Amino acid sequence: MSRTPAPSSRVVVIGAGIVGCSLADELTARGWTDVTVLEQGPLPAPGGSTSHAPGLVFQTGPSKTLTEFAAYTVQKFGSLDVDGLSCFHPVGGLEIATTEARWADLHRKAGLAASWGIRGELIGPQQCKRLWPMLDETTLYGGFHTPDDGLARAVLACRAQIARAERRGARFLDRHTVTGIERADGRVTGVTTDRGTFPADHVVSAAGFWGPVIGAMAGVDVPLLPLAHQYATTAPLPELAGVNDPRDEASKPILRFQDRDLYFREHTDRIGIGSYAHRPMPVDPFTVAAFDDSPVMPSSLPFTAADFAPSWQDSVGLLPALGASRVAEGFNGVFSFTPDGMPVLGESRELRGFWLAEAVWVTHSAGVAKAVAEWMTDGRPAIDIHECDLYRFEDAQRSPAYIADRGAQNFIEVYDVIHPLQPMEQPRPLRTSPFYPRQQELGAYFLEGGGWERPHWYEANAPLAEGLRLPERDAWSARYWSPIAAAEARATREKVALYDMTPLRRLEVTGPGALAFLQRMTSNNLAKKPGAVTYTLLLDETGGIRSDLTVARLAPDRFQVGANSGADLDWLLRHAPDDGGPSRSSEAESGGVQVRDSTSGTCCVGVWGPLARALVQPLTRDDFSHQAFGYFRAKQTYLGHVPVTAMRLSYVGELGWELYTTADLGLRLWDTLWEAGQEHGVIAAGRSAFNSLRLEKGYRAWGHDMTTEHNPYEAGVGFAVRPAKGDFVGRAALEGRSEETASRRLTCLTLDDPAAVVLGKEPVLVDGTPAGYVTSAAYGYTLGRGIAYAWLPAAAAVPGTAVHIEYFGEKIPATVAQEPLFDPQMERIRR
């Protein structure tokens, strides 16, 4: 395991843009003063993305993590000034809607702002015009005004933080081009430049769109795509003459016209216009000219006027006064996109001490720097950042072709109205389970996650939905949904269904030290006889929930671990007993423990429903009765001709098994189960029904319902913590904590109106005031009403408490419920 170094650690940060400068400031503030920042260009504006950034900071978005990064950026830059000029100018933000779809989306965004604690207000067309008098308000439905957003003066913020960090001992060296990363025994040892070598215990790549170049020197993939983005400035406008103080430059809110992929900000008597409406313009970071060889700066490419022409016409349509003006100057500015639009943060496992702080926009820069500095000095960030973790990407998502396809698509969609279930269109299909041909034959409707094609329902089951009485859905909640899901949920409750569980990650932990290792890493007691299956947690040192696992002990020294993401594998590999050598990229074999990812070579089908035993038992000579094969037990057996590992588990609250086999036998397993199930009315069922059923049982989904920001007692999974078993990661931090001491709780809500539906991330109001937010939601087809799980103060998390959930501006009554809602005595599973 990598341990937090002493404060005397030598740190080299590559890149003195806004991220590198912010990180140096954050590190030195925490006592790490031996910090060297290397920059290839001249300071304080070395020519990267920071040097040309227009500085827009809109804090609110679907990601709670990015919103918190942005909120800290506003707070910090607002506290910094240079020569009496603040590094943040809180002019506010105004997003306008010229279509019904955008107006509805602004209602959703207002809900997100309330969930994350950002001030915001929906306003009418006339109020929009008062804020921006040049607007043609007749085209508007309304706007969303956020008074605390504004303009980050990025270069000024760099200057302020350079000065503070230098006073604490840091040094900033410009005109130093990095040529290599030194390493020994799997650790970084220094950085080589054209002006000498700098020894280091830690190296942080904050190189912006040059990140892939630095990563290649270190042998570390950096999954980002640099793209050019057009920015133009008008000629002086009579309407702005004498309006704005030249030092402040702007007095009106940043204006976003997302229906046309445009934004606007003032530059004293001119208006700057940014456009995402043009074709993607990828840039090869390995061929970008050096500062002295660039006409303006490396990140500023020549303006392509033809690409901007449609955006100019759209701008004139919104701001008619521009019709008498022109584009005075413009450039195509380069910045970074990743396959999922999130930053790439964390320490490389393959090269210890080499950190990434890449694909970070000015909006989130100070927040990212704070998180990375906490990670380096304290061992973990204070907030959950799993969405940004370097190891969140699968191997299949790291190819240059994938990064190019997804990065370009993210550019196209940057201002689009994106549904939370909406998948990207390309490249698909990428990862498919062995059952894929049969799923296609059954008319599966696939969505995508982690590169996997995941059936959400099957058109073959449409006849089962006929006659079902379901509430009508609004257009938003009806997207990526079908009433067929209700029929599949009903069939699971009444008969038996097959669920493809292949995309869930599977790890193997083996060797004579396997038990001791897993006991130390997880919260529950795994010291049970072979055949036992245990639900347990991965905690960090503060008791936060890194993940939840299902661990099956298949032999004295062999365990199968059901995990959530590549970050779980990374965590185990980092903590595996150290034999003195570097860890492998996907497995570790040291200290009597081997950790291996077996997901791609295996598959899994869940067989669930009251007739599951009737389906499975005739296929095997082993006894699958409740007495012989109890709940949370595992058995290796054969079903027909197929060797399987059968686990008596159920994530839907019904009798059944998870059945695992190798990928080459997956199709045969499916066909064996399908043929045997015909007499029992077997169906294939998708994730839409699955999510409904699991919420009826109150089963948590890590990453949605609980993260490192929550401890087990708050999240309602304290039963998976066994302090008496001995020491384990996070145990000390949980001492003195219990469900009774929790100040907040993950809470089950039922919607009072049987026709109401919410989707997740909506604010929950207690006594009319936002007090929490929804984590997971679905319609409970068995119960006949909507279900939502939400984080609420403990005082409000009392069954019977009346609350409201704000959904697109409508306040929907809901009630705190006792969980689980379905089969609280567990009679259906244990029979």
Side-chain angles (χ1 to χ4, degrees):
M1 126 179 217
S2 62
R3 288 178 167 80
T4 304
S8 61
S9 292
R10 299 164 299 179
V11 180
V12 173
V13 178
I14 301 172
I18 191 62
V19 178
C21 293
S22 297
L23 180 58
D25 183 51
E26 296 287 340
L27 285 171
T28 55
R30 287 165 173 76
W32 283 29
T33 56
D34 192 349
V35 176
T36 301
V37 182
L38 302 175
E39 174 53 59
Q40 63 183 343
L43 292 173
S49 300
T50 299
S51 301
H52 73 245
L56 281 67
V57 178
F58 280 87
Q59 299 172 79
T60 305
S63 168
K64 179 174 178 285
T65 298
L66 289 189
T67 299
E68 290 184 333
F69 284 162
Y72 182 76
T73 300
V74 167
Q75 172 194 334
K76 182 177 185 181
F77 290 178
S79 70
L80 299 174
D81 69 88
V82 175
D83 299 330
L85 188 61
S86 174
C87 295
F88 183 76
H89 187 22
V91 292
L94 177 62
E95 301 179 63
I96 57 168
T98 59
T99 64
E100 288 186 14
R102 182 67 63 181
W103 184 228
D105 191 58
L106 291 186
H107 281 75
R108 183 172 71 104
K109 184 161 285 184
L112 290 169
S115 289
W116 313 144
I118 304 298
R119 288 201 304 156
E121 180 186 12
L122 291 164
I123 60 176
Q126 290 299 326
Q127 291 171 288
C128 292
K129 188 171 180 65
R130 281 197 289 272
L131 291 170
W132 257 87
M134 294 171 65
L135 277 170
D136 177 6
E137 78 279 11
T138 65
T139 65
L140 304 183
Y141 282 80
F144 178 51
H145 180 223
T146 47
D148 300 324
D149 290 336
L151 297 167
R153 297 183 172 106
V155 173
L156 212 62
C158 285
R159 288 177 56 191
Q161 293 178 104
I162 288 172
R164 295 207 313 189
E166 285 181 333
R167 286 196 295 270
R168 301 185 191 113
R171 57 177 176 167
F172 289 75
L173 304 176
D174 63 2
R175 298 292 188 175
H176 281 65
T177 300
V178 174
T179 58
I181 305 297
E182 302 293 319
R183 68 193 93 173
D185 299 324
R187 282 203 63 91
V188 70
T189 59
V191 177
T192 301
T193 74
D194 58 351
R195 298 175 65 176
T197 298
F198 297 83
D201 303 300
H202 288 270
V203 173
V204 185
S205 177
F209 63 80
W210 284 286
V213 179
I214 301 302
M217 296 178 190
V220 175
D221 290 334
V222 181
L224 67 81
L225 175 71
L227 287 151
H229 159 57
Q230 290 198 299
Y231 192 80
T233 308
T234 68
L237 297 167
E239 292 81 2
L240 295 181
V243 171
N244 295 314
D245 184 326
R247 273 172 61 87
D248 283 338
E249 287 195 339
S251 58
K252 298 177 184 63
I254 310 160
L255 180 64
R256 287 212 283 195
F257 183 20
Q258 292 169 300
D259 289 323
R260 291 293 184 270
D261 297 312
L262 294 168
Y263 63 83
F264 306 84
R265 60 151 293 183
E266 296 171 295
H267 293 277
T268 310
D269 60 350
R270 304 166 186 250
I271 290 179
I273 307 170
S275 172
Y276 293 98
H278 54 82
R279 61 190 168 90
M281 303 177 188
V283 175
D284 183 353
F286 291 87
T287 62
V288 174
F291 187 94
D292 293 331
D293 298 327
S294 302
V296 180
M297 64 177 81
S299 65
S300 182
L301 304 182
F303 188 64
T304 50
D307 289 304
F308 193 75
S311 291
W312 176 253
Q313 294 304 314
D314 288 332
S315 299
V316 171
L318 182 70
L319 307 172
L322 296 185
S325 187
R326 61 183 174 82
V327 173
E329 56 185 349
F331 64 95
N332 291 0
V334 183
F335 64 142
S336 304
F337 282 78
T338 59
D340 60 3
M342 300 294 287
V344 180
L345 311 178
E347 182 190 16
S348 168
R349 188 178 65 251
E350 294 77 20
L351 182 59
R352 300 296 178 89
F354 183 80
W355 294 77
L356 296 180
E358 298 290 11
V360 182
W361 295 6
V362 170
T363 301
H364 311 112
S365 55
V368 164
K370 176 176 180 285
V372 173
E374 290 168 340
W375 207 343
M376 295 175 71
T377 60
D378 301 333
R380 71 183 291 275
I383 67 171
D384 170 63
I385 62 165
H386 78 272
E387 295 174 308
C388 310
D389 194 288
L390 166 63
Y391 290 94
R392 71 187 183 272
F393 293 114
E394 306 288 339
D395 288 345
Q397 296 174 301
R398 304 181 79 89
S399 70
Y402 185 95
I403 294 165
D405 287 347
R406 291 288 172 109
Q409 188 65 23
N410 268 314
F411 178 90
I412 292 169
E413 295 179 349
V414 71
Y415 275 174
D416 285 1
V417 176
I418 302 295
H419 193 279
L421 293 176
Q422 181 174 327
M424 286 205 176
E425 296 178 0
Q426 295 295 333
R428 291 181 64 191
L430 181 63
R431 306 177 79 188
T432 60
S433 81
F435 318 135
Y436 186 67
R438 299 294 182 262
Q439 294 166 342
Q440 288 180 302
E441 293 168 5
L442 293 169
Y445 184 88
F446 293 100
L447 298 180
E448 179 265 349
W452 288 100
E453 294 297 314
R454 300 186 177 197
H456 274 242
W457 65 83
Y458 293 84
E459 289 297 329
N461 297 324
L464 300 178
E466 295 176 3
L468 289 180
R469 298 181 62 183
L470 297 170
E472 289 190 15
R473 291 200 168 210
D474 64 277
W476 186 252
S477 64
R479 292 183 67 186
Y480 307 107
W481 173 85
S482 168
I484 295 172
E488 293 176 358
R490 180 176 179 178
T492 307
R493 292 280 188 238
E494 294 180 355
K495 293 184 179 180
V496 61
L498 305 185
Y499 287 83
D500 182 1
M501 306 300 290
T502 301
L504 300 182
R505 185 172 293 272
R506 291 170 293 285
L507 310 177
E508 285 186 359
V509 181
T510 58
L515 175 60
F517 171 61
L518 288 173
Q519 285 283 74
R520 177 168 60 87
M521 294 305 303
T522 70
S523 64
N524 211 333
N525 187 10
L526 306 181
K528 302 172 183 176
K529 294 180 180 179
V533 182
T534 306
Y535 176 82
T536 187
L537 307 171
L538 284 182
L539 305 177
D540 64 20
E541 287 81 357
T542 68
I545 305 171
R546 284 194 57 94
S547 188
D548 61 344
L549 310 176
T550 303
V551 180
R553 190 175 193 183
L554 302 179
D557 59 355
R558 184 160 68 92
F559 295 81
Q560 180 173 310
V561 178
N564 284 297
S565 73
D568 295 347
L569 173 64
D570 176 58
W571 181 254
L572 292 176
L573 291 175
R574 288 180 188 274
H575 287 78
D578 190 2
D579 63 357
S583 295
R584 302 177 185 178
S585 61
S586 61
E587 62 181 78
E589 184 173 350
S590 58
V593 178
Q594 299 85 47
V595 182
R596 185 177 71 88
D597 189 334
S598 60
T599 309
S600 297
T602 55
C603 59
C604 177
V605 57
V607 183
W608 291 312
L611 301 182
R613 183 176 288 113
L615 188 159
V616 174
Q617 183 62 80
L619 299 174
T620 178
R621 295 181 178 180
D622 284 310
D623 188 351
F624 271 54
S625 69
H626 181 65
Q627 294 73 24
F629 197 159
Y631 191 51
F632 265 81
R633 299 292 299 173
K635 184 176 293 188
Q636 292 177 293
T637 185
Y638 289 86
L639 295 183
H641 298 92
V642 182
V644 300
T645 298
M647 296 188 195
R648 179 92 183 271
L649 304 174
S650 175
Y651 206 50
V652 300
E654 294 292 338
L655 171 69
W657 289 265
E658 292 179 359
L659 304 173
Y660 299 86
T661 192
T662 52
D664 58 322
L665 290 168
L667 197 58
R668 184 60 178 264
L669 174 61
W670 181 279
D671 288 344
T672 299
L673 295 168
W674 188 257
E675 181 179 350
Q678 291 308 299
E679 64 179 288
H680 304 294
V682 71
I683 67 161
R687 292 189 66 83
S688 187
F690 178 87
N691 195 48
S692 171
L693 297 170
R694 71 103 178 165
L695 285 178
E696 289 182 336
K697 281 298 294 180
Y699 293 145
R700 278 64 169 145
W702 184 85
H704 296 278
D705 301 317
M706 54 191 186
T707 67
T708 55
E709 295 182 6
H710 312 109
N711 72 52
Y713 305 111
E714 297 171 327
V717 289
F719 63 87
V721 179
R722 293 288 186 269
K725 76 166 185 174
D727 193 29
F728 55 87
V729 175
R731 181 181 183 273
L734 294 181
E735 290 183 7
R737 299 189 189 183
S738 66
E739 292 185 10
E740 289 69 30
T741 65
S743 62
R744 58 179 176 174
R745 290 198 177 96
L746 184 62
T747 308
C748 179
L749 308 176
T750 56
L751 278 55
D752 294 353
D753 181 355
V757 173
V758 299
L759 298 182
K761 300 188 178 180
E762 297 90 355
V764 180
L765 284 64
V766 177
D767 296 328
T769 302
Y773 59 92
V774 174
T775 58
S776 293
Y779 193 82
Y781 300 111
T782 313
L783 303 174
R785 66 180 61 248
I787 305 167
Y789 272 76
W791 281 100
L792 290 177
V798 178
T801 302
V803 300
H804 287 85
I805 301 173
E806 187 173 311
Y807 179 74
F808 286 89
E810 179 184 358
K811 293 178 174 58
I812 298 175
T815 303
V816 175
Q818 186 71 46
E819 58 173 338
L821 298 170
F822 179 78
D823 188 26
Q825 303 303 318
M826 301 286 283
E827 294 172 351
R828 297 176 70 89
I829 291 177
R830 295 189 172 105
R831 61 179 174 183

